Amino acid sequence: MEYTIDPTKVAEFEQFAHAWIALVDRHGGTHHGYFLPGEGASDRALALFSFASLAEYESYRQLFGVDPDFIAADKIRDDSGCVLRYDRNFMRPMLATQDSE
């Protein structure tokens, strides 16, 4: 996921990010981390996570707006206004240890 964040609310975004790392890991995914502004643009952040299958990801997505922990994590974002916009993209990894197709 790519986020446009409010650069004055990085601490709030970090709180939001910590909550989502735990949720992804707890519900069958692997969170590879958030990447926050360092140098350059101060309003971009990235999150990378993966699930073993689309079916597992879809099970995780069914918890949005229903599970109290998911609602609480989104509340951090909504109440603080730390996220101005986000885009979700689906990609597949190509790792050095995989044979090329």
Side-chain angles (χ1 to χ4, degrees), residues 30 32 48 50 91-101:
T30 301
H32 305 286
L48 299 174
S50 59
M91 296 181 268
R92 63 178 177 84
M94 188 190 98
L95 306 172
T97 58
Q98 292 178 324
D99 294 329
S100 58
E101 295 177 16

Side-chain angles (χ1 to χ4, degrees), residues 23-69:
L23 289 169
V24 168
D25 290 343
R26 186 180 323 143
H27 292 282
T30 301
H31 209 295
H32 305 286
Y34 280 81
F35 298 83
L36 304 176
E39 288 186 36
S42 62
D43 65 346
R44 283 189 66 216
L46 299 172
L48 299 174
F49 58 91
S50 59
F51 284 81
S53 69
L54 181 58
E56 286 186 33
Y57 175 73
E58 288 173 346
S59 292
Y60 156 83
R61 289 286 300 163
Q62 289 178 356
L63 298 171
F64 282 67
V66 177
D67 183 283
D69 292 334

Side-chain angles (χ1 to χ4, degrees), residues 1-7 10 13 35-47 85:
M1 299 211 23
E2 182 174 348
Y3 294 91
T4 302
I5 63 172
D6 182 332
V10 173
F13 183 80
F35 298 83
L36 304 176
E39 288 186 36
S42 62
D43 65 346
R44 283 189 66 216
L46 299 172
R85 140 173 215 235

